[in-house]
Amino acid sequence: MAYIQSDHLGWHEGEQAMHEKLHVPTHENPTVPFLSPFGVRFLPSAPLIAIGALDSNGRPWTNLIGGEPGIARPLGSSNIGIRTLVDPEFDPVINILLNHQDQNETRPVSANKNIISALSIDLATRNRLKLAGRIEVGTLEQLGSGSDSAEPKPTEAQMVFRIDQSLGREPAECAGTS
């Protein structure tokens, strides 16, 4: 896969101040303004992703999604897709991201409100990928048919996120850190 390497992002003024106070040597910010090639390779094999979002009161919420590798997949040009079973009644992150939409409804979501952060990790290899971006579109779909059962039917969420920043780390790059 070919890609154009763009400039790295500069450091935030708060990060620069911390570097100066701690006498950290000057180096490039490893965060890039797109889904990095490492992220494209890593996501299909990663079994876990934590997604964070702010509710309407500015409170942070996080949801850990996972189980099988490939819970999140690159969809090209800095977009990723996530497909997973959820409980929309009791999942604040899904409610924040999908604006309490009705099941079996696909629609764009309020992208300027729904900024997300995410961390995908493979505990076996210690590889990890930090992401920041916005949700672009999402849907909830109730699976199964018939209404004879009193048991709730599983609900699947599908979401597409636009990645604005990513930082991939492999264990060799993190020597001495956990």
Side-chain angles (χ1 to χ4, degrees):
M1 168 181 8
Y3 71 96
I4 297 171
Q5 177 71 41
S6 73
D7 293 331
H8 289 266
L9 298 174
W11 294 104
H12 180 273
E13 63 185 45
E15 292 170 314
Q16 289 175 337
M18 289 302 296
H19 289 172
E20 289 171 15
K21 283 186 181 226
L22 297 172
H23 305 288
V24 173
T26 304
H27 64 281
E28 272 188 354
N29 184 344
T31 304
V32 294
F34 52 86
L35 182 59
S36 68
F38 170 81
V40 171
R41 290 188 317 272
F42 174 68
L43 277 175
S45 65
L48 296 172
I49 187 164
I51 300 175
L54 299 176
D55 69 13
S56 59
N57 295 317
R59 295 177 299 199
W61 293 89
T62 302
N63 187 358
L64 183 61
I65 300 170
E68 296 294 321
I71 195 79
R73 295 194 174 276
L75 302 176
S77 187
S78 286
N79 289 314
I80 67 168
I82 295 178
R83 185 180 196 172
T84 186
L85 294 178
V86 297
D87 184 344
E89 186 177 352
F90 298 107
D91 189 331
V93 173
I94 292 300
N95 285 317
I96 292 165
L97 295 177
L98 299 180
N99 298 322
H100 305 281
Q101 73 185 37
D102 294 329
Q103 293 187 13
N104 302 324
E105 175 186 10
T106 301
R107 65 177 174 171
V109 293
S110 177
N112 46 343
K113 287 173 123 181
N114 294 322
I115 296 171
I116 62 104
S117 62
L119 173 66
S120 185
I121 189 163
D122 183 338
L123 297 173
T125 64
R126 295 181 47 217
N127 285 341
R128 52 205 178 267
L129 176 67
K130 295 177 187 177
L131 302 167
R134 299 175 187 274
I135 185 168
E136 296 286 323
V137 69
T139 185
L140 290 172
E141 179 181 352
Q142 194 167 29
L143 305 176
S145 61
S147 58
D148 0 332
S149 175
E151 288 195 30
K153 294 179 179 47
T155 301
E156 182 180 75
Q158 294 185 41
M159 300 167 283
V160 175
F161 297 98
R162 172 82 185 158
I163 302 304
D164 298 322
Q165 296 180 10
S166 69
L167 172 64
R169 305 290 286 188
E170 297 180 79
E173 297 173 14
C174 305
T177 65
S178 53

